[in-house]
Amino acid sequence: MASDETRTLNPTALGGSAARDAREPEESPGAGQPGTRAWTTWTTRLLMLGIVLAALNLRPAITSLGALLEEVRDGLGMSGSVAGLLTSVPPLCFAVFGVTAPRLARRFGPGAVVCAGMVAVAAGLLIRPYAGGTAGFLAASALALMGIAVSNVLMPVIVKRFFPDRVGSMTGLYSMALAFGTSIAAAATVPVTNALGGDWQPGLAVWAALAAAAVLPWIPFVRNRKAPSDQETPTDAPAGTDGPTGRPALRITRSRTAWALAVFFGLQATGAYVTMGWAAQIFRDAGVSAGTAGLLLAVIMVMGVPLAFVIPRVATRLPQQGPVVVVLGLCGLAGYAGLYLAPSGGAWAWALLLGISNCAFPLALTMVGMRARTGAGVAQLSAFAQSTGYLISIPGPLLVGVLYQHSGGWGLPIALMAALMVPQMVVGVLAGRDRTVEEEAAR
């Protein structure tokens, strides 16, 4: 396994000239060669900055909309069912576009793909408030979500390849940045909108600036797009082989752990996108003001800032991650029960509990890095688990919108979300067992 991890540290895999001769001294036999010191200082820091800024932009497109969903519905003339469809667009885009990320990374390098992804996010967020009509709004949202989708898949790959001995801490770092960006968008969108005159359009468009800033650190890694990576198959390799070793390609669908992780990812994503899309509206319908509802949504999201750093570090130190899965699931059950019984009376407590439960996302990302031995395995597992998982999560937000509109209240949608926590815990325990997809796929 050690040799596999060393092999994955091919800095040219980012596709950037800045990383061409880069190898970290503790992970490369050529640590004393020229160029190593440059990699261990500015290039490593630039890569870490790029990871953090990209992570900050992986959710504001969604939570900023959640905070202003009522205003957007009124402005575009949406029904509750159409709004439910709108909240289902993120997982749909993540499933459709995320599966293309490994192939794009092999061709252009992950750095170039993430850079292009951030450009797409910035363009989509800038265009969508002014696209005119629901169809234009959905199309521009899809553009932004396409950039988010490929970056979602490639972040674990980049971490595994360049920081194989720090998977937990680096996953925690970008998960923490992701949670911070999510919560800031939820908390600040309404006040920023009010400061800009109360119109929802500039209130949503302003988040394009953050995405534009995330493009800059990735620009040095865009050059030399056809640089070889450890995941690329040479032109003379037999069909169906994996990389330069010529080994048989990993048949990820043979792995029970991969399927368990995909279902776990899908169920936690269902809860996350229902929360991001509808939680603020639930609180508003319970009599909470729009500003306070945005803050409550921010509390749910901000819980991921410290916990997204702690949970991956704890998870990597445990032989099995099942106990962490169960704790998070029980918090989710308690939060939904409170939201059903007293949505406004204990709103802050329910927000805290749901925020803890939503930290199943960084746990899932951590397990992606732990359940595969090699960078190529992580790429396949990340694409499979996320794409399949997001496909599973698509009906959730839409069904919540339909149930809300036809039942006239939030009782049935909340009961549905609470019920889904049980299978989430079951498959999460299965995904957390100490094994790798390579072992299972070879059987």
Side-chain angles (χ1 to χ4, degrees), residues 196-211:
L196 294 175
D199 189 352
W200 62 268
Q201 291 174 309
L204 290 183
V206 71
W207 296 103
L210 182 62

Side-chain angles (χ1 to χ4, degrees), residues 38 77 110 131 151 185 199 225 277 301 340:
S151 300
D199 189 352
R225 290 184 174 184
M301 300 301 126
Y340 182 90

Side-chain angles (χ1 to χ4, degrees), residues 189-367:
T189 296
V190 172
V192 167
T193 300
N194 292 335
L196 294 175
D199 189 352
W200 62 268
Q201 291 174 309
L204 290 183
V206 71
W207 296 103
L210 182 62
V215 174
L216 301 178
W218 292 99
I219 291 175
F221 302 109
V222 173
R223 302 175 185 175
N224 191 18
R225 290 184 174 184
K226 295 186 181 299
S229 77
D230 62 297
Q231 294 182 43
E232 287 188 306
T233 303
T235 56
D236 59 346
T241 60
D242 177 25
T245 63
R247 294 178 296 185
L250 177 63
R251 298 181 180 180
I252 197 76
T253 55
R254 287 188 174 184
S255 169
R256 294 181 180 179
T257 296
W259 280 107
L261 187 54
V263 177
F264 176 70
F265 201 99
L267 292 175
Q268 67 80 28
T270 299
Y273 288 108
V274 168
T275 300
M276 284 186 278
W278 289 109
Q281 191 65 50
I282 293 174
F283 288 122
R284 290 177 72 169
D285 287 350
V288 176
S289 68
T292 303
L295 287 176
L296 287 166
L297 178 59
V299 168
I300 295 175
M301 300 301 126
V302 81
M303 290 302 299
V305 176
L307 293 180
F309 189 72
V310 172
I311 288 176
R313 293 173 67 88
V314 172
T316 55
R317 286 167 170 78
L318 295 174
Q320 300 189 39
Q321 289 71 50
V324 184
V325 170
V326 172
V327 169
L328 298 181
L330 292 176
C331 288
L333 283 173
Y336 285 123
L339 205 57
Y340 182 90
L341 297 171
S344 60
W348 295 101
W350 317 143
L352 286 171
L353 287 169
L354 291 175
I356 295 172
S357 178
N358 278 355
C359 287
F361 175 73
L363 177 61
L365 292 180
T366 304
M367 289 195 288

Side-chain angles (χ1 to χ4, degrees), residues 14 101 104-106 108-118 147 150-151 154 222:
L14 275 178
L104 291 172
R106 286 195 297 269
F108 301 106
V113 177
V114 172
C115 185
M118 291 299 104
V150 294
S151 300
L154 293 179
V222 173

